[in-house]
Amino acid sequence: MEFLVVYFDEDRGVIVNSAPGAWMTNQPFMLQAGTYIIELAPPPNYKPLSIQITLINTTELQPYEITFTRNPSSPRRRATS
């Protein structure tokens, strides 16, 4: 198994190869070794819109790390109570 962490400034679902799953940003998760296209769940207020990666030779202590950034014109969602 390989390890990946997808960083974003809020918790959001992570989409792997067009398939939404239980993966979330800012938390490590495991995938099989291989090539993947990583995106975030909507809204598409981030860049880049997708990142292609190849996971190999990672460990839990040294995961593959990628970062998405918010578009400057997109406000951050406020927490609701």
Side-chain angles (χ1 to χ4, degrees):
M1 288 305 250
E2 301 299 325
F3 296 86
L4 173 64
V5 179
V6 178
Y7 293 107
F8 190 58
D9 69 358
E10 67 181 40
D11 291 337
R12 187 173 298 186
V14 175
I15 300 170
V16 177
N17 288 347
S18 300
W23 310 291
M24 294 295 293
T25 56
N26 308 309
Q27 300 175 16
F29 58 91
M30 295 183 294
L31 294 168
Q32 297 288 335
T35 300
Y36 298 95
I37 296 175
I38 308 298
E39 303 168 83
L40 299 183
N45 62 344
Y46 56 87
K47 60 183 179 179
L49 291 178
S50 65
I51 299 174
Q52 182 172 328
I53 63 168
T54 299
L55 283 178
I56 190 166
N57 296 327
T58 64
T59 68
E60 192 171 5
L61 296 176
Q62 293 183 316
Y64 195 108
E65 300 176 323
I66 60 176
T67 301
F68 288 91
T69 56
R70 183 176 304 279
N71 291 333
S73 61
S74 298
R76 185 179 170 128
R77 287 191 287 178
R78 294 183 179 163
T80 56
S81 43

